[in-house]
Amino acid sequence: MATACTDNTGSDHVVEYCCSSCEEDAISQEAAYYCKLCSKFFCCQCLKFHGKLFKKHETYGRTEIDQWPVSKVTQDVLENCREHKDEHLKFYCEDHRLMCCNSCVVFNHRQCASVISIDQLLYEEEITDDLQQLQEKIESILEQMKQLQNDQERSIIDLLDSYNKSLQEIKNARSKIDSILNKLEKDTVQKLDDVLNNFNTPLQKDVEDAIRLSSDLRDLEKAIQEMMTKGKELSFTAYKNCIVSIRECEKYIHDYSNIKKVKMFFKTNTLIEKYLSQRPSLGMILHSNQVEDQKEISVLCEAIYGVRHKDDKNPPEIRGMCVEDNLFFMIDFNNKNVKLLNSDYSLLCQSDLDFFPYGMYQCPSSYRIAISGESQTQFISSRRINEQLYIINKHEIFQFHHYCFGIAIHRDDMYITSGTALFHYNRDGKPVKKLYENLGAGVRSCAVNQSGDKIFVTNWSELLTLSRDGNILCTFTDPLLQNASRDWNILLQNAPAVHATDKGQVLVCCMNNIIQVDSEGKRKISILAIPNVDYPLCMCSAWKSIIVGFSNILVLKIE
């Protein structure tokens, strides 16, 4: 067996082929030759001793490396588990289509229905693909991966560029607000100055008048004192002037003896402070996906595909659809089965169910599909036998105390409608909470957005948006959603289906239309006419299409 070792420099560089003789002496030396008869590798120095002992042995140098065995590095890449590096791959899980080691089987695949040993798989299946073609395909994929990597790196650059531009816009917004606040401050201070001037100017004049009157009266007092000692020639004039001055002072005292002190106060406009303090930010942070979920859907063309199988006893009634691994799954209520189609909507196989199915949803990060109906949920997956033949594997079943209509799954959260309520379970079927109940209008279809923070449910006339804890965030109504029937069973059977696309768009079926609602579930964005469908029962989105299920499937190609 070819061995690998670390070079003598002590670095992490791995030498694919080590000299067998040197390795026995705990020396890591890269091999230059290989002897098939000895099944050993030799460096240039060890080859001399080997040549003297085994002169007839043919050795192969680096120029003939195609004669060498597979290196240990390559063996480790092929045989070692990616998750558990020290364990070899020994099993193959047909449910998840993954190679597994012992630890993988114990921790990740205990509930899988079909886990077989690789030895058995090699015995049963013969590899028919040409390795040269496989290598060409790998090179093509690597080229595509490199292109995607380059595109993603450019996306990172664009993202950082948009971040810097947004950061500058935030600073500009702050600057504008600062300018507005500076102007408000300047205007307010000007008003304060005006009020000050209105009161301060007359007060200052009054003070000046008091100083002048007091000074005049004081001068007259000195003049009278002087006349009393030096003569009375000006006594009449002094007397009259004093009387006038005294009268003026008494009038001033009378007029200003009850003047109240004037003070100024500033009352803050609390509306500005309150408005700013209640804002979550200076503006909205948007990204391209959020812009996408508000974009109006445009239909390019449409096509109808029949899905009835020769073994079906009844016309199909498609109540659930989803796409997984480029395969199309649908449930047929009338015939109690699940059908598997390819991307051209050609039937590959179908499998009978033990109950009437009402809803279908793909489990994220899993190859399994969940089917709801009656009082249970069944998990299934597909398995490819050869180029033409597929089969459908059935897995665990969860039983519930209520009827199961619509189903939606996000990570480890599973939401199921019972016809009158929406229930929250974990991925293992354990109950978490009854989120919402409406005994009058019912609860039929449900969907969850990509982030998992909004759950959409429908009854016979409304679309409701719920939070994860069951609070109603908003209610959307439209005349197109109204059903003329008053039979509760008919209303429940034909309640509008709801679907949330991977781009965040929310779609609701009505009689001959699909209503596109914004990602918040608040307002109508557009209406897609589907005149060839009387009562759409379900829908999904895949392959740049909106797919509507009824007795057949209607495929709407979109931009």
Side-chain angles (χ1 to χ4, degrees), residues 173-187:
R174 169 61 187 269
S175 178
K176 290 179 181 178
I177 293 175
D178 287 343
S179 299
I180 294 172
L181 292 175
N182 289 336
K183 186 177 184 303
L184 289 176
E185 179 185 6
K186 181 179 179 181
D187 293 343

Side-chain angles (χ1 to χ4, degrees), residues 15 67 235 266 347 425 502:
V15 179
Q67 299 294 326
S235 60
F266 175 69
L347 187 66
Y425 296 90
D502 55 0

Side-chain angles (χ1 to χ4, degrees), residues 256-270:
Y256 295 102
S257 60
N258 293 324
I259 291 180
K260 294 181 180 180
K261 293 182 179 180
V262 179
K263 292 183 179 181
M264 300 176 64
F265 302 93
F266 175 69
K267 186 176 181 182
T268 305
N269 186 346
T270 57

Side-chain angles (χ1 to χ4, degrees), residues 1 123 178 192 198 231 289 374 412 458 537 542 545:
M1 179 182 291
Y123 178 77
D178 287 343
L192 183 68
N198 289 338
N289 289 345
E374 299 183 3
D412 293 329
T458 61
L537 302 173
S545 302

Side-chain angles (χ1 to χ4, degrees), residues 440-497:
V443 182
R444 172 61 176 86
S445 182
C446 65
V448 60
N449 66 353
Q450 289 292 306
S451 59
D453 62 339
K454 292 183 180 63
I455 307 147
F456 305 98
V457 297
T458 61
N459 53 43
W460 66 273
S461 63
E462 295 174 326
L463 168 69
L464 292 91
T465 305
L466 309 178
S467 63
R468 275 177 54 89
D469 55 4
N471 291 326
I472 299 178
L473 302 177
C474 60
T475 301
F476 174 80
T477 59
D478 191 273
L480 292 174
L481 296 177
Q482 305 297 321
N483 195 312
S485 175
R486 287 295 176 265
D487 188 313
W488 196 88
N489 290 323
I490 295 177
L491 292 174
L492 187 61
Q493 293 284 337
N494 298 313

Side-chain angles (χ1 to χ4, degrees), residues 37 46 85 93 105 118 188 205 234 256 268 286 307 341 362 391 405 432 434 437 452 463 482 498 512 514 520 545:
L37 292 176
C46 294
K85 302 295 185 181
C93 176
V105 172
I118 293 178
T188 306
K205 182 178 181 301
L234 299 175
Y256 295 102
T268 305
L286 300 175
V307 294
L341 291 76
Q362 179 197 8
I391 63 172
F405 283 98
V432 177
K434 180 194 289 186
E437 186 173 33
L463 168 69
Q482 305 297 321
V498 60
N512 298 116
I514 296 175
E520 301 295 321
S545 302

